[in-house]
Amino acid sequence: MSTLTQPPAAPADSGTSASRRGPRLRGMTWLVWRQHRAAFWTVLALTAVGAAWMVYQRGQMVDQLQGFGWPGELQEGWFEEFDGGPLNQMGFGLAVAHLLTGVFLGAPLFAGDLESGTAKLVLSQSAGRTRWLVMKLAMTGAAVVAAAAALSSLYGWWLSPVEKESTVVDWTSQMYFDSSGPVLVGLTLFTTVTGAAIGLLVRRVLASMVVTFGAGLAVMTVWNRYRLELGSPVRVTTEQGVGEDAPYPELPEGAHELDVSHLTASGETVGWGTCNLETEQKSQACLEKNEVVGWAIDYLPHSQMATVQWTGAAILFALSAAVAAFIVIRGRTYVP
């Protein structure tokens, strides 16, 4: 193997000291580490800082909640004094972190070598294309998955005391749903390999970063539009009218309301705005005409959060594997 793809050989008399230092990276693993060690160390440092900050802030939040009666029943109106700023800020930061990872780590992964000519130099030696492509993807993927898994786990732990409190947390929102559990891992991996694929095709670092940023925004838009459709809506109804004195359906703690309708005598529903006419007389006539007998509310219970997250993450992992396979297959013939 060429000296390009392996570390310099140790002197013959240094075998004992080398063994004391433990195993060393060699070959393609060493090369990929050397090329991207600044990015890997940055990811590690940011993960450590984020983890430490979340542990500290979680302690602060628990102290605050204990003043309101936690872990027992919280005193009335506690949420008006609760400071959820740090929780919201970190949630938003994690929710967009995958976009930055794709731009600054994924996009330059292959584009940098192709633009500078390093890829041609590496592949002119004994290193094979497939090995080069797979090792780059594997090491980068392992780094981002480990970082995202650590941060999402800690954020979920931080969030757990108030995750069912709808007055503080909407678990279906981007900053909470995408930042806890496996979703952050899936999004980060998918955006990173997508950036790598874009870099492989575009071959210019800056252009690849710009295209990856746009692609990442598109992924976020599509994901936020369709993710809740992975759940199974539950309906609760009443059959005691819809007037001022009529009871309104009660939802379980932490439920996310999807739709509100009028329930008819036949069991069908009509939009609640259908009979929202300009006069009370016309509204009442409309309700009678449609034989409205009560309310119907569709919602997602908080108990489905983990199921929806894992289903979405499974889809993202499958898409990541497909993009990675494309990179390997395309890169074997596309890379000079």
Side-chain angles (χ1 to χ4, degrees):
M1 178 178 287
S2 167
T3 57
L4 178 63
T5 58
Q6 62 181 6
D13 60 352
S14 64
T16 302
S17 60
S19 62
R20 286 198 299 266
R21 289 195 297 268
R24 299 175 60 186
L25 298 178
R26 294 183 177 277
M28 188 60 70
T29 305
W30 175 83
L31 177 63
V32 173
W33 170 259
R34 290 283 296 178
Q35 283 185 303
H36 303 288
R37 64 187 182 278
F40 292 155
W41 278 118
T42 300
V43 170
L44 179 62
L46 291 176
T47 301
V49 171
W53 192 75
M54 282 191 282
V55 170
Y56 170 76
Q57 288 295 340
R58 210 263 186 180
Q60 296 291 102
M61 185 184 75
V62 168
D63 289 342
Q64 187 180 20
L65 289 175
Q66 287 175 340
F68 300 134
W70 188 85
E73 183 177 353
L74 298 175
Q75 67 187 38
E76 185 177 355
W78 67 273
F79 54 87
E80 297 177 358
E81 301 179 33
F82 178 74
D83 181 16
L87 194 66
N88 296 337
Q89 293 162 10
M90 191 63 180
F92 178 79
L94 291 178
V96 300
H98 67 90
L99 178 60
L100 301 180
T101 304
V103 170
F104 291 102
L105 188 58
L109 189 63
F110 296 111
D113 287 355
L114 292 169
E115 183 175 15
S116 65
T118 303
K120 184 178 295 186
L121 181 61
V122 171
L123 297 177
S124 67
Q125 310 300 316
S126 59
R129 282 181 171 83
T130 302
R131 187 181 176 194
W132 178 68
L133 294 165
V134 170
M135 188 58 67
K136 273 180 166 283
L137 288 172
M139 292 185 66
T140 304
V144 299
V145 165
L151 292 175
S152 64
S153 298
L154 281 172
Y155 188 75
W157 173 65
W158 180 10
L159 183 66
S160 58
V162 294
E163 64 180 354
K164 291 185 179 181
E165 301 293 340
S166 58
T167 53
V168 177
V169 172
D170 177 7
W171 64 268
T172 63
S173 67
Q174 179 185 8
M175 71 174 63
Y176 300 119
F177 186 88
D178 292 357
S179 301
S180 60
V183 175
L184 182 63
V185 181
L187 281 171
T188 303
L189 181 61
F190 179 64
T191 309
T192 301
V193 296
T194 299
I198 292 172
L200 182 68
L201 298 176
V202 176
R203 296 176 174 239
R204 295 291 183 270
V205 173
L206 184 58
S208 299
M209 294 172 72
V210 172
V211 175
T212 300
F213 182 79
L217 291 178
V219 169
M220 291 175 65
T221 301
V222 173
W223 172 253
N224 290 331
R225 167 63 180 81
Y226 292 104
R227 60 187 172 164
L228 294 185
E229 295 189 11
L230 300 174
S232 301
V234 178
R235 172 169 291 178
V236 59
T237 62
T238 63
E239 298 183 3
Q240 297 166 353
V242 294
E244 294 182 0
D245 298 329
Y248 195 75
E250 293 186 6
L251 302 184
E253 184 181 23
H256 175 73
E257 185 178 290
L258 296 174
D259 188 36
V260 180
S261 307
H262 287 320
L263 179 70
T264 66
S266 63
E268 298 180 354
T269 59
V270 294
W272 68 269
T274 303
C275 296
N276 188 19
L277 304 178
E278 62 272 16
T279 66
E280 183 178 351
Q281 184 177 6
K282 289 184 178 181
S283 296
Q284 185 61 36
C286 177
L287 293 173
E288 293 176 357
K289 178 182 177 181
N290 287 280
E291 299 182 333
V292 172
V293 297
W295 293 101
I297 298 182
D298 295 328
Y299 68 93
L300 286 179
H302 182 271
S303 59
Q304 289 192 20
M305 180 178 180
T307 301
V308 176
Q309 284 184 321
W310 277 105
T311 302
I315 294 173
L316 292 169
F317 290 144
L319 291 173
S320 300
V323 175
F326 167 79
I327 291 174
V328 174
I329 295 172
R330 180 64 170 168
R332 293 176 63 181
T333 57
Y334 191 65
V335 175

